[in-house]
């Protein structure tokens, strides 16, 4: 079942936290003059328009990225993120995770983007042709979870992975857990970022599945950190009231960079929004 299309959700609050985390991790990797490999297992179409029929139908971006339009950001990470978005805005485009990452690549770095939906993959191929960064971008029409395991460990093994499934089915949670375990066996140094939704009672048996997934990650012998952004109260009918990113092997102090950016962001997202940072496993402390 591949019915999810990110065009309906591009620019929502989940994109904000996910993409801020992704930029922070890539910026950290760039602090050393050594090459790295990035993987985006669920890449989507790569580039969107916020004036498209899809985006206008849900209007999700209006309570998300539109709230950060024309703000004078103070936080350096938030400035970097908004500068990337601005570089696409003149053509009325909005970059997804593949174009954000490619924008930041240096000549020596590589990005592997994977997508399984034929229509979204076609869009992704076109979008990656217009990539603005200097590094190499490889597009794979394949299952991103199987693809990640098959390509681990990359050479060089410095790098990071974004796992951003649609979670249309509850079975995607155990699939992500199994993939993370297999990836870490082959590539123990991998810095993994797993996005997950925060769901209210309305979600039925999916409610709590993400939190349980993160607790499973915390049992692995790796540092595990969660960063969450909530935009409404968790009332029974709220639906997706926020989302988070679970980091496995997070870069040193990356949570401080992201926390500082989110501290500024919540000021624009409404009175019920807040964020949190929690260590689920911190082996070195
Ligand atoms: C949330 S969207 C990705 C958004 C993108 N990461 C971003 O931030 O711009 C999830 C995408 O995963 C794709 N997908 C679903 N299952 C997949 C799988 N097993 N392997 C690769 N892609 C998959 C869907 O077609 C959809 O385009």
């Amino acid at each position: 079942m591949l019915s999810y299309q990110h065009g309906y959700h591009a620019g929502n609050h989940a994109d904000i936290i996910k993409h801020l985390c992704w930029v922070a991790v890539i910026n950290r990797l760039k602090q050393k003059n050594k090459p790295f490999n990035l993987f985006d297992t669920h890449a989507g179409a790569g580039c969107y328009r916020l004036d498209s029929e899809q985006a206008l139908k849900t209007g999700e971006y209006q309570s998300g990225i539109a709230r950060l339009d024309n703000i004078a950001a103070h936080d350096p990470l938030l400035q970097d993120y908004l500068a990337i978005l601005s570089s696409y805005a003149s053509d009325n485009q909005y970059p997804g995770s593949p174009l954000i990452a490619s924008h930041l690549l240096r000549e020596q770095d590589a990005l592997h983007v994977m997508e399984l939906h034929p229509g979204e993959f076609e869009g992704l191929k076109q979008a990656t042709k217009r990539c603005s960064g200097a590094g190499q971008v490889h597009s794979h029409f394949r299952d991103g979870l199987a693809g990640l395991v098959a390509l681990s460990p990359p050479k060089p093994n410095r790098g990071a992975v974004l796992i951003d499934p649609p979670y249309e089915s509850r079975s995607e949670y155990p699939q992500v857990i199994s993939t993370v375990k297999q990836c870490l066996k082959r590539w123990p140094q991998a810095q993994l970022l797993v996005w997950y939704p925060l769901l209210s009672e309305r979600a039925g048996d999916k409610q709590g599945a993400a939190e349980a997934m993160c607790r499973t990650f915390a049992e692995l012998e790796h540092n595990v950190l969660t960063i969450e952004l909530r935009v409404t109260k968790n009332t029974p009918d709220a639906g997706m009231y926020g989302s988070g990113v679970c980091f496995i092997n997070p870069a040193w102090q990356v949570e401080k960079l992201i926390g500082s950016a989110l501290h500024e962001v919540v000021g624009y997202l409404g009175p019920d929004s807040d964020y949190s940072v929690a260590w689920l496993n911190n082996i070195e402390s």
Side-chain angles (χ1 to χ4, degrees), residues 126-167:
Q126 300 305 324
T128 51
K129 276 188 197 153
R130 306 191 301 267
C131 278
S132 47
Q136 298 167 38
V137 180
H138 306 281
S139 307
H140 308 257
F141 180 40
R142 69 183 299 178
D143 180 320
L145 297 177
L148 173 63
V149 175
L151 297 174
S152 295
K155 274 191 186 163
N157 68 5
R158 265 189 102 226
V161 179
L162 176 64
I163 301 179
D164 180 25
Y167 300 105

Side-chain angles (χ1 to χ4, degrees), residues 1-7 9-10 14-15 18-19 22 40-48 94-100 114-118 120-121 140-147 162-168 172 175 195:
M1 181 177 68
L2 279 175
S3 52
Y4 180 95
Q5 286 180 285
H6 197 61
H9 311 287
D15 264 9
K18 177 185 23 176
H19 294 161
W22 200 213
D40 189 338
T41 60
H42 296 70
C47 197
Y48 307 91
Y94 168 84
S97 52
L99 289 200
I100 289 177
M114 305 183 212
E115 173 57 50
L116 200 51
H117 186 294
E120 298 295 273
F121 183 72
H140 308 257
F141 180 40
R142 69 183 299 178
D143 180 320
L145 297 177
L162 176 64
I163 301 179
D164 180 25
Y167 300 105
E168 287 181 287
E172 285 179 84
Q175 285 164 8
W195 177 85

Side-chain angles (χ1 to χ4, degrees), residues 9-267:
H9 311 287
N12 68 3
H13 57 84
D15 264 9
I16 295 177
I17 178 169
K18 177 185 23 176
H19 294 161
L20 271 174
C21 290
W22 200 213
V23 172
V25 163
I26 299 169
N27 279 349
R28 257 300 154 81
L29 285 164
K30 287 171 70 175
Q31 282 179 346
K32 285 195 182 153
N33 192 22
K34 291 182 179 164
F36 57 78
N37 275 293
L38 300 177
F39 293 87
D40 189 338
T41 60
H42 296 70
C47 197
Y48 307 91
R49 290 184 69 105
L50 298 180
D51 58 359
S52 70
E53 210 176 299
Q54 290 182 328
L56 293 172
K57 187 164 182 186
T58 61
E60 286 186 20
Y61 72 94
Q62 280 160 356
S63 54
I65 202 64
R67 300 275 180 95
L68 305 181
D69 254 0
N70 302 318
I71 64 163
H74 298 291
D75 177 81
L77 172 60
L78 185 57
Q79 285 175 352
D80 285 352
Y81 166 57
L82 294 176
I84 299 170
L85 299 196
S86 304
S87 70
Y88 287 89
S90 54
D91 295 329
N92 241 344
Q93 312 239 298
Y94 168 84
S97 52
L99 289 200
I100 289 177
S102 82
H103 186 92
L104 294 168
L105 293 185
R106 304 162 302 180
E107 214 170 305
Q108 66 265 43
D109 308 320
L111 166 69
H112 297 267
V113 293
M114 305 183 212
E115 173 57 50
L116 200 51
H117 186 294
E120 298 295 273
F121 183 72
E122 203 38 55
L124 179 64
K125 259 195 334 195
Q126 300 305 324
T128 51
K129 276 188 197 153
R130 306 191 301 267
C131 278
S132 47
Q136 298 167 38
V137 180
H138 306 281
S139 307
H140 308 257
F141 180 40
R142 69 183 299 178
D143 180 320
L145 297 177
L148 173 63
V149 175
L151 297 174
S152 295
K155 274 191 186 163
N157 68 5
R158 265 189 102 226
V161 179
L162 176 64
I163 301 179
D164 180 25
Y167 300 105
E168 287 181 287
S169 137
R170 200 179 193 284
S171 63
E172 285 179 84
Y173 294 95
Q175 285 164 8
V176 171
I177 293 172
S178 162
T179 301
V180 164
K181 287 182 178 171
Q182 291 177 68
C183 172
L184 288 170
K185 248 188 209 155
R186 292 164 181 243
W187 183 16
Q189 310 84 347
Q191 198 180 157
L192 296 157
L193 283 73
V194 181
W195 177 85
Y196 57 88
L198 292 170
L199 301 172
S200 78
E201 207 177 306
R202 197 178 81 191
D205 70 349
K206 283 196 207 160
Q207 191 197 18
E211 291 85 340
M213 176 177 73
C214 295
R215 285 195 296 276
T216 307
F217 293 147
E219 289 163 11
L220 305 174
E221 303 220 324
H222 293 266
N223 286 334
V224 176
L225 165 78
T226 55
I227 302 185
E228 297 182 348
L229 173 65
R230 289 166 289 273
V231 291
T232 55
K233 290 202 164 63
N234 179 11
T235 55
D237 275 342
M240 185 168 86
Y241 62 91
S243 72
V245 175
C246 185
F247 287 71
I248 302 158
N249 294 328
W252 191 64
Q253 294 199 335
V254 76
E255 78 283 6
K256 297 212 162 105
L257 303 177
I258 300 162
S260 159
L262 289 176
H263 182 76
E264 188 169 343
V265 164
V266 294

